[in-house]
Amino acid sequence: MSYDDVEIEDMEWNEELQAYTYPCPCGDLFQITKDDLRLGEEIARCPSCSLYITVVYNLEDFLGDSDQRNKNNIDPPKQQPLAVA
């Protein structure tokens, strides 16, 4: 059972960890990455204890970033025509 349900808006983005964080009662931070959220994950875990929280968020808010990133990675580079002399 989840320790608590937390809205994504109540979490903080941690640039160093590249994750959303929320204070854990043990003194560490619950963590969840944007990639986890894009995959539909809703559990943020604490790396120091066994507690976890359920993150309440709108999946569609994170899919737009992923779609744009994947589109940029999927398109093959344009090949330049070669002139043979």
Side-chain angles (χ1 to χ4, degrees):
M1 185 170 165
S2 177
Y3 169 73
D4 200 2
D5 292 348
V6 178
E7 299 277 340
I8 191 76
E9 293 84 9
D10 294 331
M11 300 181 78
E12 289 188 23
W13 175 251
N14 183 310
E15 195 67 36
E16 183 179 328
L17 296 173
Q18 289 293 295
Y20 286 97
T21 62
Y22 190 78
C24 180
C26 79
D28 205 344
L29 297 169
F30 294 107
Q31 304 173 21
I32 191 165
T33 66
K34 286 183 180 180
D35 286 338
D36 290 337
L37 295 168
R38 285 184 193 110
L39 293 173
E41 180 62 58
E42 58 184 24
I43 300 298
R45 301 185 185 285
C46 175
S48 297
C49 71
S50 62
L51 293 178
Y52 61 91
I53 58 173
T54 301
V55 180
V56 180
Y57 71 104
N58 184 349
L59 179 60
E60 293 170 359
D61 292 343
F62 292 90
L63 290 179
D65 292 341
S66 178
D67 290 344
Q68 184 63 34
R69 191 182 74 195
N70 287 341
K71 180 182 179 206
N72 291 338
N73 290 340
I74 290 174
D75 291 341
K78 303 281 186 223
Q79 293 184 351
Q80 298 294 325
L82 296 176
V84 179

